[in-house]
Amino acid sequence: MVVDLNILIGGEAGQGVQSIGSVVARTMLRGGYEIFADQDFESRIRGGHSFTRVRVSGHPVASAIDPIDILVALNAETVEIHRKDLQPGGVIIYDGAKTGLKPQNSIIALDIPLETIAADTSGNVLMSNTVAAAATLGLLGYSFDVLADVLRQEYGRHGVKMVDDNIKAGQAGYDFGTVNRPAGFQLRLKEGKPSGKMLVTGHEALALGVLAAGCKFVAGYPMTPTTPILEFLASRGREFGLHVIQAEDEISAANMVVGAAYAGVRAMTGTSGGGFCLMVEALSLAGMTETPMVVVLGQRSGPSTGLPTRTEQGDLLFALHAGQGEFPRAILAPVDAEGAFWAAVKAFNLAEKYQTPVLIMTDHDLGNSSYLMTKPDLSKVVIDRGDILSDEEAEKAEDYRRYAFTKAGISPRAFPGQGKALVVADSDEHNERGHIVEAGEERVKMMDKRMRKNTGLAKEIEGPTIRRRENAKLNLIGWGSTAGAIAEAGGILETMGVNASVVQFNELWPFPAEAVTKVLGGANKNIVIENNYTGQLEKLIRSETGIAADARIHKYDGRAFTAEYIVNALKEEGLL
C-alpha cells in the first residue's frame, strides 16, 4: 500500500495549531516518511480560523492535497469548514467537552478530553496540544518512542521538567488514542529509518542560502511573508558575522542595502508588494550606480494590503519593470526549499558579477510551507564576487575609473578608501570616472555599457525544467511555487491515460527565449497555470517568443493550487 496521508489540524489562531502540526511532521520525518506541510491563517494575532496540513507519504511530495484522512479539530468551526473534505474511513479527533461537538453516526470520531488529560498528567492545560499530537499518532499505531525523542528536542531548551511533563501528557494522549481507537478507522503507519533530510520552510532554506553565500548585511522592515527570513537571519547573525537591521521603513532598508553593497559587503533586503513599492527608487539607484543588490520579493494577494497572509503570483511584471528608467536585472523564482537555498547563492553571485540588482521572487505558499530537503553540499557553494580590484591593484590605481567602458559592460570595482582608487558614484548620469554629465553622446555610451551586461546575464539564466512524457499532447506550464501541484497533476493525468509534459520556470529574467521556444514551439497545447488573474507568465512568454497559450488556469483566491484543482480545471475547460 502506498502511503499518502493528509492530517489537518484546525482551530483559532493562538490555540497551538502550528505546534501540533510541527510535532506530528517531525515525528513522521524521524520515521522515514516524506513530508509536505502548509499553513493557512488569517491576518490577526488571535482568533479567526487557521489550519495546518501535514502530508505524510512514502514518496516525495511537494504540495498539499484536499482529501483529509485525520481531522484534528480544536474548535467546532474546524469541523464545520472541513468535514466535507474528510475521506471515507477518515476520522475526526476533538475534545467534546471543550468544543461542544457531539458524536455523529455517519462520521468516525474520537472524543478525547485533551485539556483534562493535560491537566491531570502535567498540571498544565497548554500541553493539550501535545496530547492531541500523541493521540493522532496513537490512532495510527505509530511509535511513541519516536514522538518522545521529538518532544525532548522540541522542549529541551525549556528544561527537564518541561520535557518530562510533555512526555507524560503525550504518553497519556497516545494511550487514549490507542485504547479508544474507533471501529472503522483502519489507517496504520509504522516507523522506518530516518532519511537524514531536513524539514524546513522555503524561507528558512532561502535564509540558509543567504548565510552560505557570505551575506554580511541585511536590512528590512517586517512584512508578511518575508518576516521569517529576517527573524531567522537575526537569530544567527552573530554566529556568522551578519548584521541585521530593522529599519524604520522599507525606503531606508533598501537604501541601507545600497550603501552597504557600495562599501563592499554582500547585502540584501526582503519585503513584499507594498514594501517593494517603496523600494523601487533605491532599486533604480542600484541600477544607475551599478551596485550589487539582492531583493527577496515575497508575493501575497494584492492590490494594496489585499490578503496579507495569503498567496499569489501577481508581482512578476511589476518586478520586471520596477524602477524609473532601464537597467539590467535578473529575476529568480525558486520552486521549493532546495531551490530557494541555491537561488540565494546564485543571486549574490549574479549581483556582484554583473554589479546590478537581482530579485528572488517567492510567495506565501513557498515561504511558509515546509519541505524535505537534503542537507546542502556546501563544497558546491561557489562565491563569485566578480571583477574586484585587489588591494595591490587599488594601491596603483591612481587613474581609476569606476565606470570604465568595457566590452562586457562590467567595470572593475573598487571600494571607497581602497588604496589610491578614487571611487566616485552618482545617481545622475555620469562619465567613466563617476562625474555628472549631460552630453547626449556620453549618455548613449554609458547606457550601452550598462545594458551590455544583459548579454552575459542571459547566458547565466537557465531555461525551464522539463518533465517530458512520451506522446504528450499537453504542456503544463508554471513558475515558482506552483511546481509541486503541477507536477502531481501531470502524474494524475498519466494514470488517466493522458500524457502531459510539465514545464516549470525557476529563473525568469533575462528571459530564456531560445530554450522556451524549443520547448513550447511544437504541436502540444500550451496551458499556463498561474496564481494570478491576468496571466503574467503567459504574457511574458508571448512577448518574448511570440508563442501564445492555448489555454490557461488562473487562481486568485489567495490559496495555493492543488493537483486535484488543476485536473478538475482541465476537465472544465474541455482539455481532457
Side-chain angles (χ1 to χ4, degrees), residues 28-35 192-198 372-375:
M28 293 297 183
L29 169 63
R30 289 208 174 192
Y33 287 100
E34 297 285 332
I35 306 292
K193 293 181 179 179
S195 63
K197 294 180 180 178
M198 307 161 60
L372 285 198
M373 169 180 161
T374 303
K375 291 180 181 177

Side-chain angles (χ1 to χ4, degrees), residues 16 27 35 52 55 97 105 107 114 127 155 190 248 262 277 284 350 380 410 420 429 435 441 493 495 534-535 545 573:
T27 305
I35 306 292
T52 292
R55 186 176 177 187
N105 291 333
I107 297 177
L114 299 173
M127 292 184 188
Y155 297 106
K190 292 298 179 187
E248 61 267 39
Y262 168 73
C277 291
S284 281
L350 291 180
K380 294 182 178 177
I410 302 168
K420 292 186 172 61
E429 190 56 276
H435 298 301
E441 184 179 349
L493 293 178
T495 65
T534 58
T545 67
E573 292 291 326

